Amino acid sequence: MPEMIASNGYYVAAAYAVGWICILGYLLRLHSLLRRSREALAHARTIGGAP
Amino acid sequence: MTSPELGSTLAPAKKRPKAGIIAMVVVLVAAFGWLMMGNLDKNVVFFLTPNELLAKGTEAIDVPVRLGGQVKAGTVTWDEKALDLRFDVVDTDGKGTIHVQSKGAPPQMFRDGMGVVCEGRFGADSVFQSTMLIIKHSNEYRAPKAGEKPQEMYKSLMKGSGS
Amino acid sequence: MTAAAAFTLEVPKSGRWPIFGWFAVLFLAGAQITAFAISPPDRDMGDLQKILYVHVPAAWNMGICYLLVAIYSFRYLWKRDDRDDLIAASAAEVGTLLNGLTLVLGMIWARPTWGVWWVWDARLTSTLIMFLVFAGYLALRAFVEEPDRRALWSAVAGIMGAINYPIVYMSVRWWRTIHQVQSTPSTLDPTYTFSLRLNAVAVLFILIYFIRRRYEAALTERVTEQLSQAAALGGPLHA
C-alpha cells in the first residue's frame, strides 16, 4: 500500500537511531569505566605503595 | 578481596595439567556443537516447495505447513474491498503450481516473481489457505534504471488488479 | 614467595590506540555521505535498503569480535596469561553488543520487507542462540570472583560461543531459511558495495577502539586488584 511505503522512513530512522544510541552509549560507558579504573588505581597506590 | 583464597593469585605460577584441560575443552566444544546442530535440524527446513508439498499427497492436506516459492507472474488478483488476495506459487524451476488464497494486504515487497513463504493449510480443494504471508527476499540489490521509480511495481500491481 | 613475582601485569598505556577512534569518526562521516547522498534507493526496496549499511557491518564485525574471543581464549588456555583473558573478555563484550545490534536492526528491517518482525528459521535462531551464549559468558564473568577460575571458565565458554559463528554464517547455505544467502559484489550494484564496505570499515575501527579501550580499563582494574590484595597480605610493596 502506498501508505505503507510512506512509513518506510520511520523504519530507516529507527534502525539508525538504534545503531547510534548503542555506539554512543557504549562509548560513554567505556570512558566512565576507564576514568573509574584509573581513579581506583591511584587510590590503591596511595594506600599500598607504588608498584 | 582479602580472603585467603584470593591471595593465591599472588603465588608463583603453578604447573597445570594443560593437555588434560585442553582435551576436556575440545570434547565439550564438540558435544556442544553437535547438540546445536541436532536442535537446529528440527527447524531447518523452514518451508516446503510446491513440488514437495504436492508429492506428499493426501498426507499434506489440511495440516499446518509452510509453503515457499515464487509468485507466478500474471496470476495475482487483489480484491481491495474484501481484502482477498489470490496468486499462484511455483517452484524456482517454474513447475509445481499451487493456488494460494490469502487475507489482508500483502507486505509491500509482494509482486510478480517475488519469493514468498505462506503459513497455512493446503485444502482438499487444492487451494492453499494462507494465514500469514512472508516475503523471502533475494540477495540482490539494484539501483533503479533511468526513469524508473523505486517501488512503482508494487503500486501498479496492487492498483491494476481486482475490484 | 617474592612480592615482585606478583606484578607481572603493567598498567596499560593508551599509546596511539585512540587514533582508531578518530579513524572511526572520519570513516563514519564518509560512509553516511555515500549511503544517503550518493547511493540511490533500491529498485524493489526503496529507502529500506539503507538498513543494509548498518545491519550487515554489525554482523560481519560481530564475527571478528568472536574470532578474537576464540583466539585469545585458546591462547589463555595455552599460556595462562591474564592479559589474554582480559582481551577475550573485551572482545566478547563488544561482540555481544554487535550481536544484539544485528538482531534488533534485522528485526526492524524484516518488519517492512518480509512482513514480520521475527521468524524461527535457522539463521535467526542460531544468531539468537549465539547472543544468549555470550550474554551467559558475560554473566559468568560477573559472578565468578576468583580470577583464575573465572578466566578458565570464560575461556571454555568463549570458545564454545565462538564456534557458533561459522554455523550462523553458513546457516543460510546449509539449511532452508527465510533469510537470504549472503550478497556478493555480483548481486549488489557497485554503488551499494562501496557504501557497504565503507560502513563496514568504519565499524571495524569502532571495534578496534572499543576493544582496546575496554581492555585498558579491565587491565587497570586487575592491577588495582592485585595491589590491594598485596597490600592486605603484606603491607606496602615495591616491585
Side-chain angles (χ1 to χ4, degrees):
Chain A
M1 309 279 93
E3 57 269 28
M4 278 161 65
I5 291 166
S7 71
N8 281 352
Y10 293 116
Y11 288 103
V12 177
Y16 275 77
V18 167
W20 281 106
I21 287 167
C22 276
I23 297 297
L24 293 176
Y26 190 81
L27 186 70
L28 288 176
R29 179 179 168 271
L30 192 54
H31 279 263
S32 99
L33 255 176
L34 275 164
R35 203 193 58 238
R36 275 186 285 136
S37 70
R38 282 173 187 156
E39 281 168 8
L41 179 67
H43 181 68
R45 275 177 172 162
T46 57
I47 298 169
Chain B
M1 281 298 202
T2 54
S3 60
E5 66 267 41
L6 283 180
S8 69
T9 53
L10 294 176
K14 284 168 291 200
K15 274 269 175 193
R16 293 182 183 85
K18 278 180 189 165
I21 285 170
I22 288 170
M24 203 177 77
V25 169
V26 170
V27 169
L28 273 173
V29 164
F32 182 78
W34 183 79
L35 270 176
M36 269 273 312
M37 305 278 259
N39 280 329
L40 267 175
D41 259 340
K42 288 173 200 153
N43 218 22
V44 289
V45 178
F46 195 73
F47 54 85
L48 298 177
T49 65
N51 281 330
E52 287 167 352
L53 189 64
L54 290 170
K56 284 196 156 197
T58 52
E59 194 193 322
I61 300 292
D62 212 31
V63 289
V65 68
R66 295 193 196 97
L67 167 71
Q70 279 181 314
V71 179
K72 193 175 180 182
T75 63
V76 180
T77 60
W78 166 240
D79 185 337
E80 208 169 341
K81 294 202 180 76
L83 292 173
D84 184 54
L85 180 72
R86 284 161 197 262
F87 55 93
D88 289 356
V89 166
V90 288
D91 246 320
T92 41
D93 61 5
K95 291 179 196 142
T97 305
I98 290 183
H99 305 296
V100 176
Q101 185 182 10
S102 173
K103 284 276 169 200
Q108 57 174 288
M109 292 195 69
F110 181 84
R111 62 183 54 107
D112 284 351
M114 184 54 80
V116 288
V117 173
C118 309
E119 228 172 75
R121 288 160 188 268
F122 192 40
D125 56 353
S126 289
V127 175
F128 190 94
Q129 297 291 338
S130 167
T131 52
M132 186 160 73
L133 180 57
I134 307 169
I135 298 295
K136 179 167 166 49
H137 187 253
S138 76
N139 61 349
E140 288 197 30
Y141 296 89
R142 301 290 177 206
K145 295 190 189 86
E148 202 179 43
K149 281 205 178 116
Q151 296 176 325
E152 282 299 308
M153 287 162 77
Y154 178 85
K155 287 185 210 170
S156 62
L157 181 74
M158 287 292 107
K159 269 182 199 152
S161 56
S163 55
Chain C
M1 186 187 95
T2 60
F7 293 106
T8 49
L9 297 178
E10 277 175 40
V11 183
K13 292 188 176 67
S14 300
R16 296 209 172 100
W17 288 94
I19 202 161
F20 283 102
W22 295 110
F23 282 157
V25 170
L26 207 69
F27 271 75
L28 266 181
Q32 302 320 303
I33 293 168
T34 64
F36 283 92
I38 297 172
S39 85
D42 179 71
R43 199 156 55 139
D44 290 344
M45 207 178 258
D47 289 328
L48 291 170
Q49 184 270 338
K50 305 286 184 228
I51 302 178
L52 176 88
Y53 300 139
V54 280
H55 173 71
V56 176
W60 284 348
N61 284 290
M62 150 187 101
I64 294 176
C65 289
Y66 290 156
L67 179 66
L68 289 173
V69 173
I71 291 171
Y72 283 96
S73 297
F74 269 122
R75 197 159 181 273
Y76 175 79
L77 292 179
W78 194 250
K79 307 253 184 187
R80 297 304 166 115
D81 186 333
D82 282 352
R83 287 171 297 186
D84 292 334
D85 170 53
L86 297 177
I87 295 173
S90 306
E93 194 175 289
V94 178
T96 311
L97 176 80
L98 291 174
N99 196 342
L101 257 182
T102 304
L103 287 168
V104 173
L105 295 174
M107 285 172 76
I108 296 173
W109 203 8
R111 182 65 190 82
T113 51
W114 298 350
V116 287
W117 291 104
W118 184 267
V119 286
W120 291 101
D121 77 347
R123 169 52 83 82
L124 278 68
T125 308
S126 59
T127 312
L128 180 65
I129 290 173
M130 189 166 61
F131 177 77
L132 294 175
V133 169
F134 276 98
Y137 174 98
L138 295 177
L140 174 79
R141 294 197 69 91
F143 287 119
V144 181
E145 289 213 351
E146 202 271 295
D148 282 358
R149 203 186 313 157
R150 178 177 60 208
L152 178 64
W153 291 2
S154 301
V156 176
I159 292 164
M160 296 215 295
I163 52 161
N164 284 311
Y165 189 77
I167 298 173
V168 168
Y169 187 84
M170 293 308 291
S171 59
V172 286
R173 299 189 178 275
W174 288 343
W175 302 303
R176 205 179 276 170
T177 56
I178 287 276
H179 195 288
Q180 66 267 40
V181 297
Q182 290 86 3
S183 292
T184 64
S186 65
T187 67
L188 219 58
D189 271 0
T191 170
Y192 299 141
T193 311
F194 179 73
S195 282
L196 176 62
R197 286 182 177 164
L198 205 55
N199 271 284
V201 173
V203 178
L204 179 65
F205 284 135
I206 293 177
L207 172 162
I208 295 171
Y209 179 81
F210 276 3
I211 293 179
R212 170 65 200 187
R213 300 314 297 277
R214 184 67 187 84
Y215 166 64
E216 284 170 25
L219 191 50
T220 307
E221 264 173 30
R222 274 313 290 281
V223 173
T224 311
E225 222 171 78
Q226 291 191 338
L227 252 180
S228 341
Q229 283 164 14
L233 286 179
L237 289 163
H238 301 279

